Amino acid sequence: MLSLVATGAGQFYNGERLRGLLLAALYLVGAVATVQYGWPLFLWIPFWIWGMEDARRGARRGNRALLDRLAADVATHQPHA
């Protein structure tokens, strides 16, 4: 949801700070070029959409890794009979 509001914010929240900054920079360059040079709007909207999808995938990777670590912790702590 953060990337819906600001491109790159979702990546930044997921811990992918460099990726988030790069996406935000690309989005900003496209937005400025649209305003200053009259570039068509559809040229920078894909960065926004891709940023949202990329943040969602990053969150899923992070959640999967967390669940894997939790499952490994549970498996190594057997209850005492």
Side-chain angles (χ1 to χ4, degrees):
M1 292 307 295
L2 287 172
S3 285
L4 174 66
V5 177
T7 301
Q11 287 80 358
F12 202 83
Y13 180 79
N14 287 339
E16 300 172 316
R17 288 169 175 38
L18 181 59
R19 188 181 201 111
L21 290 173
L22 288 173
L23 269 174
L26 283 173
Y27 181 81
L28 240 89
V29 166
V32 168
T34 297
V35 172
Q36 280 192 333
Y37 305 113
W39 285 11
L41 185 64
F42 68 86
L43 289 177
W44 57 273
I45 287 179
F47 287 113
W48 178 55
I49 294 169
W50 182 72
M52 287 187 287
E53 178 60 20
D54 185 62
R56 185 189 69 79
R57 287 181 183 176
R60 289 188 69 144
R61 283 190 304 270
N63 289 340
R64 180 83 255 156
L66 176 62
L67 288 175
D68 289 346
R69 283 194 308 269
L70 289 173
D73 285 348
V74 168
T76 59
H77 292 91
Q78 298 296 325
H80 297 279

Coordinates of all heavy atoms in Angstrom, one line a residue:
M1 N 0.8 -1.2 0.0 CA 0.0 0.0 0.0 C 0.9 1.3 0.0 O 0.4 2.3 -0.5 CB -0.9 0.0 1.2 CG -2.0 -1.1 1.2 SD -3.0 -1.1 -0.3 CE -3.9 0.4 -0.2
L2 N 2.1 1.2 0.6 CA 2.9 2.4 0.6 C 3.3 2.8 -0.8 O 3.4 4.0 -1.1 CB 4.2 2.1 1.5 CG 3.9 2.0 3.0 CD1 5.2 1.6 3.7 CD2 3.5 3.4 3.5
S3 N 3.6 1.8 -1.7 CA 4.0 2.1 -3.0 C 2.9 2.7 -3.9 O 3.1 3.3 -4.9 CB 4.6 0.9 -3.7 OG 5.8 0.6 -3.2
L4 N 1.6 2.5 -3.4 CA 0.5 3.1 -4.1 C 0.6 4.6 -3.9 O 0.3 5.4 -4.8 CB -0.8 2.6 -3.5 CG -2.1 3.2 -4.0 CD1 -2.3 3.0 -5.5 CD2 -3.3 2.7 -3.2
V5 N 1.0 5.0 -2.7 CA 1.1 6.5 -2.3 C 2.3 7.1 -2.9 O 2.3 8.2 -3.4 CB 1.0 6.6 -0.8 CG1 1.2 8.1 -0.4 CG2 -0.3 6.1 -0.2
A6 N 3.5 6.4 -2.7 CA 4.7 7.0 -3.1 C 5.6 5.8 -3.7 O 5.9 4.9 -3.0 CB 5.5 7.7 -2.0
T7 N 6.0 5.9 -4.9 CA 6.8 4.9 -5.6 C 8.1 4.7 -4.8 O 8.8 5.7 -4.5 CB 7.1 5.3 -7.0 OG1 5.8 5.4 -7.7 CG2 7.9 4.2 -7.7
G8 N 8.4 3.5 -4.5 CA 9.7 3.2 -3.8 C 9.5 3.1 -2.3 O 10.3 2.5 -1.6
A9 N 8.4 3.6 -1.7 CA 8.1 3.6 -0.3 C 7.9 2.1 0.2 O 8.4 1.8 1.3 CB 6.9 4.4 0.1
G10 N 7.3 1.3 -0.6 CA 7.1 -0.1 -0.2 C 8.4 -0.9 -0.1 O 8.6 -1.7 0.8
Q11 N 9.3 -0.6 -1.1 CA 10.6 -1.3 -1.1 C 11.4 -0.8 0.1 O 12.1 -1.6 0.7 CB 11.4 -1.0 -2.4 CG 10.9 -1.7 -3.6 CD 9.6 -1.0 -4.2 OE1 9.1 0.0 -3.8 NE2 9.1 -1.6 -5.3
F12 N 11.3 0.5 0.4 CA 12.1 1.0 1.5 C 11.6 0.4 2.8 O 12.4 0.0 3.7 CB 11.9 2.6 1.6 CG 12.9 3.3 2.3 CD1 14.1 3.6 1.7 CD2 12.8 3.6 3.6 CE1 15.1 4.2 2.4 CE2 13.8 4.3 4.3 CZ 14.9 4.6 3.7
Y13 N 10.3 0.2 3.0 CA 9.7 -0.4 4.1 C 10.1 -1.9 4.2 O 10.4 -2.4 5.3 CB 8.2 -0.3 4.1 CG 7.5 -0.9 5.3 CD1 7.4 -0.3 6.5 CD2 6.9 -2.2 5.2 CE1 6.8 -0.9 7.6 CE2 6.3 -2.8 6.2 CZ 6.2 -2.1 7.5 OH 5.6 -2.7 8.5
N14 N 10.2 -2.6 3.1 CA 10.6 -4.0 3.1 C 12.1 -4.2 3.4 O 12.6 -5.3 3.4 CB 10.3 -4.6 1.7 CG 8.9 -4.8 1.5 OD1 8.1 -4.9 2.4 ND2 8.5 -4.9 0.2
G15 N 12.9 -3.1 3.5 CA 14.3 -3.2 3.8 C 15.1 -3.1 2.5 O 16.4 -3.2 2.6
E16 N 14.5 -2.9 1.4 CA 15.3 -2.8 0.1 C 15.4 -1.3 -0.2 O 14.9 -0.8 -1.1 CB 14.5 -3.5 -1.0 CG 14.3 -5.0 -0.7 CD 13.4 -5.6 -1.8 OE1 12.3 -5.0 -2.1 OE2 13.7 -6.7 -2.2
R17 N 16.2 -0.7 0.6 CA 16.4 0.8 0.6 C 16.9 1.3 -0.7 O 16.4 2.3 -1.3 CB 17.2 1.3 1.8 CG 16.4 1.2 3.1 CD 17.3 1.4 4.3 NE 16.7 1.4 5.6 CZ 15.7 0.7 6.0 NH1 15.1 -0.2 5.3 NH2 15.3 0.8 7.3
L18 N 18.0 0.7 -1.2 CA 18.6 1.2 -2.5 C 17.6 1.0 -3.7 O 17.4 1.9 -4.5 CB 19.9 0.4 -2.8 CG 20.6 0.8 -4.1 CD1 20.9 2.3 -4.1 CD2 21.8 0.0 -4.3
R19 N 16.9 -0.1 -3.7 CA 15.9 -0.4 -4.7 C 14.8 0.7 -4.7 O 14.3 1.2 -5.7 CB 15.4 -1.8 -4.6 CG 14.5 -2.2 -5.7 CD 14.0 -3.6 -5.4 NE 13.5 -4.2 -6.6 CZ 14.1 -5.3 -7.2 NH1 15.2 -5.8 -6.7 NH2 13.6 -5.7 -8.3
G20 N 14.3 1.0 -3.4 CA 13.3 2.0 -3.3 C 13.7 3.4 -3.7 O 13.0 4.1 -4.4
L21 N 14.9 3.7 -3.4 CA 15.4 5.0 -3.8 C 15.6 5.1 -5.3 O 15.3 6.2 -5.9 CB 16.8 5.3 -3.1 CG 16.7 5.6 -1.6 CD1 18.1 5.7 -1.0 CD2 15.9 6.9 -1.3
L22 N 16.0 4.1 -5.9 CA 16.2 4.1 -7.4 C 14.8 4.2 -8.1 O 14.7 4.9 -9.0 CB 16.9 2.8 -7.9 CG 18.4 2.8 -7.6 CD1 19.0 1.4 -7.9 CD2 19.1 3.9 -8.3
L23 N 13.8 3.4 -7.6 CA 12.5 3.5 -8.2 C 11.9 4.9 -8.0 O 11.3 5.4 -8.9 CB 11.6 2.5 -7.5 CG 11.5 1.1 -8.2 CD1 10.7 0.2 -7.4 CD2 11.0 1.2 -9.6
A24 N 12.1 5.5 -6.8 CA 11.6 6.8 -6.6 C 12.2 7.8 -7.5 O 11.6 8.7 -8.0 CB 11.8 7.2 -5.1
A25 N 13.5 7.7 -7.7 CA 14.3 8.6 -8.6 C 13.8 8.5 -10.0 O 13.6 9.5 -10.7 CB 15.8 8.3 -8.5
L26 N 13.6 7.2 -10.5 CA 13.1 7.0 -11.9 C 11.7 7.6 -12.0 O 11.4 8.3 -13.0 CB 13.1 5.5 -12.2 CG 14.4 4.9 -12.5 CD1 14.2 3.4 -12.7 CD2 14.9 5.4 -13.8
Y27 N 10.9 7.4 -11.0 CA 9.5 8.0 -11.1 C 9.6 9.5 -11.1 O 8.9 10.1 -11.9 CB 8.7 7.5 -9.9 CG 7.3 7.9 -9.9 CD1 6.3 7.3 -10.6 CD2 6.9 9.0 -9.1 CE1 5.0 7.7 -10.6 CE2 5.6 9.4 -9.1 CZ 4.7 8.8 -9.8 OH 3.4 9.2 -9.8
L28 N 10.4 10.1 -10.3 CA 10.5 11.5 -10.3 C 11.0 12.1 -11.6 O 10.5 13.1 -12.0 CB 11.4 12.0 -9.1 CG 10.7 12.8 -8.1 CD1 10.1 12.0 -7.0 CD2 11.7 13.8 -7.5
V29 N 12.1 11.5 -12.1 CA 12.6 11.9 -13.4 C 11.5 11.9 -14.5 O 11.4 12.8 -15.3 CB 13.8 11.1 -13.8 CG1 14.2 11.3 -15.3 CG2 15.0 11.4 -12.9
G30 N 10.8 10.8 -14.5 CA 9.7 10.7 -15.5 C 8.6 11.7 -15.3 O 8.1 12.3 -16.2
A31 N 8.3 12.0 -14.0 CA 7.2 13.0 -13.7 C 7.7 14.4 -14.1 O 6.9 15.2 -14.7 CB 6.9 13.0 -12.2
V32 N 8.9 14.7 -13.8 CA 9.5 16.0 -14.1 C 9.6 16.2 -15.7 O 9.2 17.2 -16.2 CB 10.9 16.2 -13.5 CG1 11.6 17.5 -14.1 CG2 10.7 16.4 -12.0
A33 N 10.0 15.1 -16.4 CA 10.1 15.2 -17.8 C 8.7 15.4 -18.4 O 8.6 16.1 -19.4 CB 10.8 13.9 -18.4
T34 N 7.7 14.8 -17.8 CA 6.4 14.9 -18.3 C 5.9 16.4 -18.2 O 5.3 16.9 -19.2 CB 5.4 14.0 -17.6 OG1 5.8 12.6 -17.8 CG2 4.0 14.2 -18.0
V35 N 6.2 17.0 -17.1 CA 5.8 18.4 -16.9 C 6.6 19.3 -17.7 O 6.1 20.2 -18.4 CB 5.9 18.7 -15.4 CG1 5.6 20.2 -15.2 CG2 4.9 17.9 -14.6
Q36 N 7.9 19.2 -17.7 CA 8.8 20.1 -18.4 C 8.8 20.0 -19.9 O 8.8 21.0 -20.6 CB 10.2 20.0 -17.9 CG 10.4 20.7 -16.6 CD 11.9 20.8 -16.2 OE1 12.7 20.0 -16.7 NE2 12.3 21.9 -15.5
Y37 N 8.8 18.7 -20.4 CA 9.0 18.5 -21.8 C 7.8 18.0 -22.5 O 7.8 17.7 -23.7 CB 10.2 17.6 -22.0 CG 11.5 18.0 -21.4 CD1 12.0 17.3 -20.3 CD2 12.1 19.2 -21.8 CE1 13.2 17.7 -19.7 CE2 13.3 19.6 -21.2 CZ 13.8 18.9 -20.1 OH 14.9 19.3 -19.5
G38 N 6.7 17.8 -21.8 CA 5.5 17.4 -22.4 C 5.5 15.9 -22.8 O 4.7 15.5 -23.7
W39 N 6.3 15.1 -22.1 CA 6.3 13.7 -22.4 C 4.9 13.1 -22.1 O 4.3 13.5 -21.1 CB 7.4 12.9 -21.6 CG 8.8 13.1 -22.0 CD1 9.2 14.0 -23.0 CD2 9.9 12.4 -21.6 NE1 10.6 13.9 -23.1 CE2 11.0 12.9 -22.3 CE3 10.1 11.4 -20.7 CZ2 12.3 12.5 -22.1 CZ3 11.4 11.0 -20.5 CH2 12.5 11.5 -21.2
P40 N 4.5 12.1 -22.8 CA 3.2 11.5 -22.5 C 3.2 10.9 -21.1 O 4.2 10.3 -20.7 CB 3.0 10.4 -23.6 CG 4.0 10.8 -24.7 CD 5.1 11.6 -24.0
L41 N 2.1 11.0 -20.5 CA 1.9 10.5 -19.1 C 2.2 9.0 -19.0 O 2.8 8.5 -18.0 CB 0.5 10.8 -18.6 CG 0.2 10.5 -17.2 CD1 1.0 11.4 -16.2 CD2 -1.3 10.8 -17.0
F42 N 1.8 8.3 -20.0 CA 1.9 6.8 -20.0 C 3.4 6.3 -19.9 O 3.6 5.1 -19.7 CB 1.2 6.2 -21.1 CG 1.8 6.4 -22.5 CD1 2.8 5.6 -23.0 CD2 1.3 7.5 -23.3 CE1 3.3 5.8 -24.2 CE2 1.8 7.7 -24.5 CZ 2.8 6.9 -25.0
L43 N 4.3 7.2 -20.2 CA 5.7 6.8 -20.1 C 6.2 6.5 -18.7 O 7.1 5.7 -18.5 CB 6.6 7.8 -20.8 CG 6.5 7.8 -22.4 CD1 7.4 8.9 -22.9 CD2 6.8 6.5 -23.0
W44 N 5.7 7.2 -17.7 CA 6.2 7.0 -16.4 C 5.3 6.3 -15.5 O 5.6 5.9 -14.4 CB 6.7 8.3 -15.7 CG 5.7 9.4 -15.6 CD1 5.4 10.4 -16.6 CD2 4.9 9.8 -14.5 NE1 4.5 11.2 -16.1 CE2 4.1 10.9 -14.9 CE3 4.7 9.2 -13.3 CZ2 3.2 11.5 -14.0 CZ3 3.8 9.8 -12.4 CH2 3.0 10.9 -12.8
I45 N 4.0 6.1 -15.9 CA 3.1 5.4 -15.1 C 3.5 3.9 -14.9 O 3.3 3.3 -13.8 CB 1.6 5.5 -15.6 CG1 1.1 6.9 -15.3 CG2 0.7 4.4 -15.1 CD1 -0.3 7.2 -15.9
P46 N 4.1 3.3 -15.9 CA 4.6 1.9 -15.7 C 5.5 1.8 -14.5 O 5.5 0.7 -13.8 CB 5.2 1.5 -17.0 CG 4.5 2.3 -18.0 CD 4.2 3.6 -17.3
F47 N 6.4 2.8 -14.2 CA 7.3 2.7 -13.1 C 6.5 2.6 -11.8 O 6.8 1.9 -10.9 CB 8.2 3.9 -13.0 CG 9.3 3.9 -14.1 CD1 9.3 4.8 -15.1 CD2 10.3 2.9 -14.0 CE1 10.3 4.7 -16.1 CE2 11.3 2.8 -15.0 CZ 11.3 3.8 -16.0
W48 N 5.4 3.4 -11.7 CA 4.5 3.4 -10.6 C 3.9 2.0 -10.3 O 3.9 1.4 -9.3 CB 3.5 4.5 -10.7 CG 2.5 4.6 -9.6 CD1 2.8 4.8 -8.3 CD2 1.1 4.6 -9.7 NE1 1.6 4.9 -7.6 CE2 0.5 4.7 -8.5 CE3 0.2 4.5 -10.8 CZ2 -0.8 4.8 -8.2 CZ3 -1.1 4.5 -10.6 CH2 -1.7 4.7 -9.3
I49 N 3.3 1.5 -11.4 CA 2.7 0.2 -11.3 C 3.7 -0.9 -11.0 O 3.4 -1.8 -10.2 CB 1.9 -0.2 -12.6 CG1 0.8 0.8 -12.8 CG2 1.4 -1.6 -12.7 CD1 0.1 0.8 -14.2
W50 N 4.8 -0.9 -11.7 CA 5.9 -1.9 -11.4 C 6.4 -1.8 -10.0 O 6.6 -2.8 -9.4 CB 7.0 -1.8 -12.4 CG 8.1 -2.8 -12.2 CD1 8.0 -4.1 -12.5 CD2 9.3 -2.6 -11.7 NE1 9.1 -4.8 -12.2 CE2 10.0 -3.8 -11.7 CE3 10.0 -1.5 -11.2 CZ2 11.3 -4.0 -11.2 CZ3 11.3 -1.6 -10.7 CH2 11.9 -2.9 -10.7
G51 N 6.5 -0.6 -9.5 CA 6.9 -0.4 -8.1 C 6.0 -1.0 -7.1 O 6.4 -1.6 -6.1
M52 N 4.7 -0.9 -7.4 CA 3.7 -1.5 -6.5 C 3.8 -3.0 -6.5 O 3.8 -3.7 -5.4 CB 2.3 -1.1 -6.8 CG 2.0 0.3 -6.5 SD 0.2 0.7 -6.8 CE 0.2 0.8 -8.6
E53 N 3.9 -3.6 -7.7 CA 4.1 -5.1 -7.8 C 5.4 -5.6 -7.2 O 5.4 -6.6 -6.5 CB 3.9 -5.5 -9.3 CG 4.1 -7.0 -9.5 CD 3.1 -7.8 -8.8 OE1 2.0 -7.3 -8.4 OE2 3.4 -9.0 -8.6
D54 N 6.4 -4.8 -7.4 CA 7.7 -5.2 -6.9 C 7.7 -5.2 -5.4 O 8.3 -6.1 -4.7 CB 8.8 -4.3 -7.4 CG 10.2 -4.7 -7.0 OD1 10.6 -5.8 -7.4 OD2 10.9 -3.9 -6.3
A55 N 7.1 -4.2 -4.8 CA 7.0 -4.1 -3.3 C 6.2 -5.3 -2.8 O 6.5 -5.9 -1.7 CB 6.4 -2.8 -2.9
R56 N 5.1 -5.6 -3.5 CA 4.3 -6.8 -3.0 C 5.1 -8.1 -3.1 O 5.1 -8.9 -2.1 CB 3.1 -6.9 -3.9 CG 2.1 -8.0 -3.5 CD 1.0 -8.3 -4.5 NE 1.6 -8.9 -5.7 CZ 1.8 -10.3 -5.8 NH1 1.7 -11.0 -4.8 NH2 2.3 -10.8 -6.9
R57 N 5.9 -8.3 -4.1 CA 6.7 -9.5 -4.2 C 7.8 -9.4 -3.1 O 8.1 -10.5 -2.6 CB 7.4 -9.5 -5.6 CG 6.4 -9.9 -6.7 CD 7.0 -10.0 -8.0 NE 6.1 -10.4 -9.0 CZ 6.3 -10.4 -10.3 NH1 7.6 -10.2 -10.7 NH2 5.4 -10.7 -11.1
G58 N 8.4 -8.3 -2.9 CA 9.4 -8.2 -1.8 C 8.8 -8.5 -0.5 O 9.5 -9.2 0.3
A59 N 7.6 -8.1 -0.2 CA 7.0 -8.4 1.1 C 6.7 -9.9 1.2 O 6.9 -10.5 2.2 CB 5.7 -7.6 1.2
R60 N 6.3 -10.5 0.1 CA 6.0 -11.9 0.1 C 7.3 -12.7 0.4 O 7.3 -13.7 1.1 CB 5.4 -12.4 -1.2 CG 4.0 -11.9 -1.4 CD 3.3 -12.5 -2.5 NE 3.2 -13.9 -2.3 CZ 2.2 -14.7 -2.7 NH1 1.2 -14.1 -3.4 NH2 2.1 -15.9 -2.4
R61 N 8.4 -12.3 -0.3 CA 9.7 -12.9 0.0 C 10.1 -12.8 1.4 O 10.6 -13.8 2.1 CB 10.8 -12.3 -0.9 CG 10.8 -12.7 -2.3 CD 12.1 -12.3 -3.1 NE 12.3 -10.9 -3.0 CZ 11.8 -10.0 -3.9 NH1 11.1 -10.4 -4.9 NH2 12.1 -8.7 -3.8
G62 N 9.9 -11.6 2.0 CA 10.3 -11.4 3.4 C 9.4 -12.2 4.3 O 9.9 -12.8 5.3
N63 N 8.1 -12.3 4.0 CA 7.2 -13.1 4.9 C 7.5 -14.5 4.8 O 7.5 -15.3 5.8 CB 5.8 -12.8 4.5 CG 5.3 -11.5 4.8 OD1 5.9 -10.8 5.7 ND2 4.2 -11.0 4.2
R64 N 7.9 -15.0 3.6 CA 8.2 -16.4 3.4 C 9.5 -16.8 4.2 O 9.6 -17.8 4.9 CB 8.4 -16.7 1.9 CG 8.8 -18.2 1.6 CD 7.6 -19.0 1.5 NE 7.5 -19.8 2.7 CZ 6.4 -20.3 3.2 NH1 5.2 -20.1 2.6 NH2 6.3 -21.1 4.3
A65 N 10.5 -15.9 4.1 CA 11.7 -16.1 4.9 C 11.5 -16.1 6.4 O 12.0 -17.0 7.1 CB 12.8 -15.1 4.5
L66 N 10.6 -15.2 6.9 CA 10.3 -15.2 8.3 C 9.5 -16.5 8.7 O 9.9 -17.1 9.7 CB 9.4 -14.0 8.6 CG 8.9 -13.9 10.0 CD1 10.0 -13.7 11.0 CD2 7.9 -12.7 10.1
L67 N 8.6 -16.9 7.9 CA 7.9 -18.2 8.2 C 8.8 -19.4 8.2 O 8.7 -20.3 9.0 CB 6.7 -18.4 7.2 CG 5.5 -17.5 7.4 CD1 4.5 -17.7 6.3 CD2 4.9 -17.7 8.8
D68 N 9.8 -19.4 7.3 CA 10.7 -20.5 7.2 C 11.6 -20.5 8.5 O 11.9 -21.6 9.0 CB 11.6 -20.4 6.0 CG 10.8 -20.7 4.7 OD1 9.7 -21.3 4.8 OD2 11.4 -20.4 3.6
R69 N 12.0 -19.3 8.9 CA 12.8 -19.3 10.2 C 12.0 -19.7 11.4 O 12.5 -20.4 12.2 CB 13.4 -17.8 10.4 CG 14.5 -17.5 9.5 CD 15.3 -16.2 10.0 NE 14.4 -15.1 10.1 CZ 14.1 -14.2 9.2 NH1 14.6 -14.3 8.0 NH2 13.3 -13.2 9.4
L70 N 10.8 -19.3 11.4 CA 9.9 -19.7 12.6 C 9.7 -21.2 12.6 O 9.7 -21.8 13.6 CB 8.6 -18.9 12.5 CG 8.7 -17.4 12.8 CD1 7.3 -16.8 12.6 CD2 9.1 -17.2 14.3
A71 N 9.5 -21.7 11.4 CA 9.3 -23.2 11.3 C 10.5 -23.9 11.7 O 10.4 -25.0 12.4 CB 8.9 -23.6 9.9
A72 N 11.7 -23.5 11.3 CA 12.9 -24.1 11.7 C 13.1 -24.0 13.3 O 13.6 -25.0 13.9 CB 14.1 -23.4 11.0
D73 N 12.8 -22.9 13.8 CA 12.9 -22.7 15.3 C 11.9 -23.7 16.0 O 12.3 -24.3 17.0 CB 12.6 -21.3 15.7 CG 13.7 -20.3 15.4 OD1 14.8 -20.8 15.1 OD2 13.4 -19.1 15.5
V74 N 10.7 -23.8 15.5 CA 9.8 -24.7 16.1 C 10.3 -26.2 16.0 O 10.1 -27.0 17.0 CB 8.4 -24.5 15.5 CG1 7.4 -25.7 15.9 CG2 7.8 -23.2 15.9
A75 N 10.8 -26.5 14.9 CA 11.3 -27.9 14.6 C 12.5 -28.2 15.5 O 12.6 -29.4 15.9 CB 11.7 -28.1 13.2
T76 N 13.3 -27.3 15.9 CA 14.5 -27.6 16.7 C 14.1 -27.6 18.2 O 14.9 -28.1 19.0 CB 15.6 -26.6 16.5 OG1 15.1 -25.2 16.8 CG2 16.1 -26.7 15.1
H77 N 13.0 -27.1 18.6 CA 12.6 -27.0 20.0 C 11.5 -28.0 20.3 O 10.3 -27.7 20.4 CB 12.1 -25.6 20.4 CG 13.2 -24.6 20.4 ND1 13.5 -23.9 19.3 CD2 14.1 -24.2 21.4 CE1 14.5 -23.0 19.6 NE2 14.9 -23.2 20.8
Q78 N 11.9 -29.3 20.4 CA 11.0 -30.4 20.7 C 10.5 -30.3 22.1 O 11.3 -30.1 23.0 CB 11.6 -31.7 20.4 CG 12.1 -31.9 18.9 CD 10.9 -31.9 18.0 OE1 9.8 -32.4 18.3 NE2 11.1 -31.3 16.8
P79 N 9.3 -30.6 22.4 CA 8.8 -30.6 23.8 C 9.4 -31.8 24.5 O 9.7 -32.8 24.0 CB 7.3 -30.7 23.6 CG 7.0 -31.3 22.3 CD 8.2 -30.8 21.4
H80 N 9.6 -31.5 25.8 CA 10.2 -32.6 26.7 C 9.1 -33.5 27.1 O 8.1 -33.0 27.6 CB 10.9 -32.0 27.9 CG 12.1 -31.1 27.4 ND1 13.3 -31.6 27.1 CD2 12.2 -29.8 27.3 CE1 14.1 -30.7 26.8 NE2 13.5 -29.5 26.9
A81 N 9.3 -34.8 27.0 CA 8.2 -35.7 27.4 C 8.4 -36.2 28.8 O 9.4 -36.2 29.4 CB 8.2 -36.9 26.4

